[in-house]
């Protein structure tokens, strides 16, 4: 577990491939809990790991899965919870390249 001591903590649901976790941990010095669909179940593989990041495979489409995931997160420990979709730099670049190949008049996606 990463809890304990001082610091800022986050929980990231749908965290793979790990761009947001990497930013929060490496750039901002936060500690975190990350949850994402396992690659064997069709999710992205988690590309980032760090001693201050606790990662768990989690299928949020399963009934009650988010409650199970929250058992790993100490009560009231997180200052930030990401429960949305975030495109990291690598995904955004890949998507822009694909759009530019299929529709040359599109400049980019923001």
């Amino acid at each position: 577990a990463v809890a304990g001591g001082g610091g800022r903590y986050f929980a990231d649901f749908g965290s793979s491939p790990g761009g947001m976790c990497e930013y929060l941990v490496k750039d901002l010095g936060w500690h975190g809990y990350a949850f994402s669909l396992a690659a064997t179940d069709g999710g992205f593989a988690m590309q980032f790991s760090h001693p201050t990041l606790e990662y768990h495979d989690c299928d949020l489409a399963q009934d009650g899965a988010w409650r199970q995931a929250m058992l790993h997160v100490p009560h009231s420990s997180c200052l930030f919870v990401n429960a949305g979709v975030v495109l990291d730099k690598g995904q955004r670049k890949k998507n822009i390249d694909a759009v530019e190949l299929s529709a040359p008049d599109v400049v980019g996606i923001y």
Side-chain angles (χ1 to χ4, degrees):
V2 297
R8 294 186 170 151
Y9 291 83
F10 69 91
D12 187 4
F13 290 87
S15 59
S16 293
M20 175 169 267
C21 292
E22 183 174 6
Y23 171 72
L24 291 169
V25 169
K26 288 178 80 176
D27 293 351
L28 301 182
W30 287 40
H31 306 264
Y33 304 90
F35 307 92
S36 205
L37 183 64
T40 56
D41 292 331
F44 292 109
M46 185 60 152
Q47 302 294 313
F48 177 72
S49 65
H50 193 273
T52 63
L53 179 69
E54 187 176 310
Y55 174 80
H56 298 275
D57 290 332
C58 179
D59 184 352
L60 293 172
Q62 296 297 315
D63 200 26
W66 71 271
R67 288 180 194 265
Q68 280 297 118
M70 290 305 294
L71 294 175
H72 298 281
V73 180
H75 182 69
S76 299
S77 64
C78 295
L79 296 176
F80 174 70
V81 176
N82 176 43
V85 176
V86 176
L87 291 179
D88 73 13
K89 293 179 210 174
Q91 290 173 301
R92 189 175 313 131
K93 174 73 173 130
K94 185 186 295 185
N95 288 345
I96 289 171
D97 290 346
V99 169
E100 288 174 350
L101 289 174
S102 64
D105 58 330
V106 176
V107 176
I109 301 171
Y110 300 97

